Amino acid sequence: MENASKALLIAGAILICILLIAIGMYIYNSAQGTIKTAAGQMGQQEKEMYNAKVSKYIGDSKKGSDVKLLIEEIISNNNQNVGESGKFISVHNGQKPASGTSGQNGVAAFNATATLDSACTNANVYENPQNGDNNQANIDDATKQMRAFAQKISSGKNYKVEEAMEDGIIYAVYISPL
C-alpha cells in the first residue's frame, strides 16, 4: 500500500509540473504578440501618414535647403516617438547600400561621419536589432550628430536622397551629393 501511495504522489507531482510548463508556454506565447514593434502594429494608413513626412523629400535631385528641412523633420519625428520601438529614422552620409550588403555603398558624401552612423544605429532597432533603443539619451546623441551633418550641407547644391524601408515604414535615409 505504501508503494502505491508514493506512486500516486509522484504521478501527481509530474502532472503539476506538466501543467506549470504548459501555463508558462501559454504566457510566453501570448506575450510575444505584445512585444512586436510599434511599426508592426501600425495599420496601413498610419504607415502612410508616418512615411509622408519624409517621402516628399526622397529623390534624385533635391536642393540642399530641402535636405536640411528633411533632417529637421526627421529630428522632430524622432523626438515625438521616444521609446516607441521601430519609430526612429536614421540619417546616413552617402549612398544607400546595395541590397544584401552592410555598411555604406559608394563614396562618402562629406568628411568622415562615423559618429553620425554610430549614433543613429544605436537608436535604430532595424539597424541594430540586438541593442537598438530609441531612448532619450540615444535620440539626443543622434540629434546632435544630425544637426552637425546638416551644417555641412550646402543649400546651393543638389543631393540624392534615398530611403530604406522595413515593415512598410521608412527607417533610414541616405544623403549623397550629386
Side-chain angles (χ1 to χ4, degrees):
M1 189 67 161
E2 193 173 305
N3 287 339
S5 65
K6 284 185 178 181
L8 285 173
L9 284 174
I10 292 171
I14 290 172
L15 287 174
I16 289 173
C17 286
I18 291 172
L19 181 63
L20 288 174
I21 291 170
I23 290 172
M25 289 179 63
Y26 173 76
I27 291 171
Y28 175 79
N29 288 335
S30 64
Q32 288 302 310
T34 59
I35 293 174
K36 288 186 178 180
T37 64
Q41 296 171 359
M42 292 171 66
Q44 187 60 33
Q45 239 180 355
E46 289 175 292
K47 290 178 183 180
E48 288 174 10
M49 288 173 50
Y50 180 82
N51 289 339
K53 297 174 185 175
V54 175
S55 60
K56 62 186 173 187
Y57 297 104
I58 305 299
D60 288 339
S61 184
K62 295 294 179 177
K63 293 184 184 213
S65 56
D66 289 336
V67 174
K68 288 182 177 192
L69 289 173
L70 165 66
I71 293 172
E72 284 304 317
E73 186 73 43
I74 289 172
I75 289 170
S76 173
N77 182 68
N78 290 343
N79 282 305
Q80 288 174 355
N81 294 307
V82 172
E84 292 190 42
S85 181
K87 288 189 170 183
F88 179 87
I89 301 173
S90 294
V91 173
H92 293 287
N93 168 24
Q95 296 176 342
K96 180 179 173 182
S99 185
T101 63
S102 61
Q104 297 281 42
N105 178 20
V107 237
F110 304 93
N111 294 335
T113 57
T115 52
L116 171 66
D117 290 339
S118 175
C120 287
T121 301
N122 287 340
N124 196 320
V125 70
Y126 290 111
E127 295 175 338
N128 188 357
Q130 288 81 25
N131 298 317
D133 183 13
N134 64 334
N135 59 40
Q136 190 64 56
N138 285 346
I139 288 181
D140 289 346
D141 187 31
T143 296
K144 177 182 168 188
Q145 297 304 322
M146 286 181 197
R147 288 209 167 109
F149 178 64
Q151 289 177 349
K152 296 177 184 178
I153 294 173
S154 172
S155 296
K157 290 186 178 179
N158 286 338
Y159 297 86
K160 181 177 184 178
V161 180
E162 301 171 278
E163 86 276 2
M165 295 183 83
E166 180 114 2
D167 294 333
I169 64 164
I170 297 171
Y171 71 87
V173 294
Y174 296 84
I175 301 168
S176 58
L178 293 180

